[in-house]
Amino acid sequence: MNFKAELVACFGQPVAENPTGVMQEAAFAAAGLPWRYLTIEVAPGGLVDAVRGARAMGFRGFNCTIPHKVAVLPLLDELSKEARIIGAVNTVRRQGDRFIGENTDGKGFLRGLTHDAGMDPRGKRVVLLGAGGAARAIATELLLAGVAELIVVNRSVERAAPMVEDLKPHGPIRFVPWRVQYTVEPETDLLVNATSLGLYPNVDWMPDVDLTRARCLVADAVFNPPVTKFLAAAQARGLKTLDGLTMLVYQGVIGFTMWTGVAPDEAVMKRTLREAMVES
Ligand code: NDP
């Protein structure tokens, strides 16, 4: 009998606000793997010790959430190309004795885009609302996937300007300051909300955009609630939508595969996460 369990963890925000643990545990069980996913609240000052502890205890990897996604960089042995460009890590995998930093947020978005919404980003015109961590990850993957144009619309210049400068070497990206309502043109193929507008408990907030002429796919990174006011407004106009829960499931699917080397049962992960969100 083998009583050893492999461990992965999430270091970050309060445990009660993080639904990914139940999803990963359900996937381990469905795959018959003796693995556990521990969701652990780690204060900013505790990250160095948490990563040292993960090494000492032989963790197979971990996720990082706010506020650790950038602070974890110098604690790792290596970064993937995407994590280097984004400048943030949400997933760490162990290879031998080395911890490798990855960023699966944008990859999760891209997988939802191609698999669930059936859109190949190559040659597409994209408007991305926001310039925070989620926006950086999504922008990086969209540029690497070959979009024709990426317009970043953001309230603060301070956050958007450096992001656009950093990402310029990777593709056609430009910044439009968000001072008045942003009008989405019919030529836009994809509109993404990567701001936190609409996130629980501020569920009545939504990005100030005019969708009157829009004919695009509308995606939201906000996953709580799964159908944001923004997505509901797009649906009311007959536009196709892609929700943030799909992105969250797929970043977890990609992380699971990186840690275990096998593909999870995606249907189990989707169902568990949706149920967890309804219950919370
Ligand atoms: P950040 O705090 O890094 O960035 C927040 C962004 O929202 C900034 O661009 C900020 O603009 C903008 N913003 C906030 N309030 C307003 C406002 N009132 N008006 C206009 N713009 C505003 O957050 P993250 O990038 O980490 O997260 C953004 C969202 O994405 C969150 O809801 C998060 O839950 C979600 N997310 C979802 C994931 C998934 O898998 N589905 C993964 C990661 C994140 P400014 O620069 O002007 O302040």
Side-chain angles (χ1 to χ4, degrees):
M1 197 74 183
N2 178 11
F3 294 106
K4 182 178 187 319
E6 299 292 352
L7 298 177
V8 278
C10 181
F11 297 149
Q13 66 205 130
V15 176
E17 291 170 23
N18 188 337
T20 55
V22 284
M23 171 176 81
Q24 295 291 0
E25 292 247 296
F28 291 144
L33 291 171
W35 286 52
R36 299 305 309 268
Y37 185 102
L38 311 173
T39 307
I40 304 169
E41 195 171 334
V42 177
L47 185 66
V48 172
D49 288 339
V51 173
R52 196 177 289 145
R55 279 186 201 276
M57 290 183 273
F59 281 25
R60 299 293 291 261
F62 54 92
N63 284 129
C64 289
T65 62
I66 290 168
H68 303 310
K69 288 184 174 185
V70 177
V72 76
L73 296 181
L75 308 176
L76 303 174
D77 302 300
E78 196 181 318
L79 298 177
S80 70
K81 175 186 171 194
E82 292 82 1
R84 256 199 321 274
I85 297 173
I86 297 163
V89 158
N90 77 329
T91 303
V92 174
R93 64 185 169 86
R94 205 185 76 206
Q95 200 171 57
D97 290 336
R98 297 163 61 74
F99 274 155
I100 320 277
E102 304 268 0
N103 196 310
T104 64
D105 282 337
K107 290 186 194 305
F109 174 80
L110 213 65
R111 191 175 168 132
L113 187 68
T114 53
H115 280 226
D116 292 40
M119 178 181 277
D120 179 353
R122 256 175 307 176
K124 297 296 188 298
R125 297 183 176 279
V126 183
V127 172
L128 177 66
L129 308 172
R136 257 185 189 258
I138 291 169
T140 299
E141 296 293 343
L142 285 172
L143 289 174
L144 294 177
V147 293
E149 177 180 58
L150 182 58
I151 302 174
V152 175
V153 180
N154 197 58
R155 180 181 59 176
S156 79
V157 180
E158 302 73 43
R159 218 190 306 228
M163 164 176 149
V164 168
E165 279 314 305
D166 288 352
L167 296 186
K168 257 186 190 155
H170 305 285
I173 183 169
R174 65 187 170 91
F175 169 51
V176 173
W178 201 355
R179 304 234 164 80
V180 290
Q181 189 178 58
Y182 184 83
T183 299
V184 181
E185 300 297 340
E187 294 73 32
T188 301
D189 298 300
L190 171 64
L191 170 67
V192 187
N193 175 37
T195 74
S196 44
L197 288 164
L199 178 65
Y200 181 86
N202 301 312
V203 295
D204 285 331
W205 295 9
M206 63 184 274
D208 188 14
V209 292
D210 180 358
L211 294 177
T212 313
R213 282 154 36 89
R215 296 201 306 241
C216 53
L217 170 68
V218 179
D220 208 329
V222 173
F223 57 84
N224 184 15
V227 182
T228 57
K229 199 173 176 185
F230 181 53
L231 290 188
Q235 285 165 2
R237 293 197 166 274
L239 300 172
K240 266 184 74 178
T241 59
L242 177 64
D243 65 30
L245 214 55
T246 304
M247 173 176 166
L248 188 63
V249 170
Y250 283 141
Q251 65 76 30
V253 166
I254 296 164
F256 182 105
T257 309
M258 285 176 172
W259 294 321
T260 65
V262 298
D265 184 330
E266 294 181 10
V268 165
M269 294 180 82
K270 271 185 200 172
R271 195 175 59 240
T272 313
L273 190 63
R274 280 193 191 274
E275 284 168 5
M277 298 301 297
V278 170
E279 281 164 16
S280 64

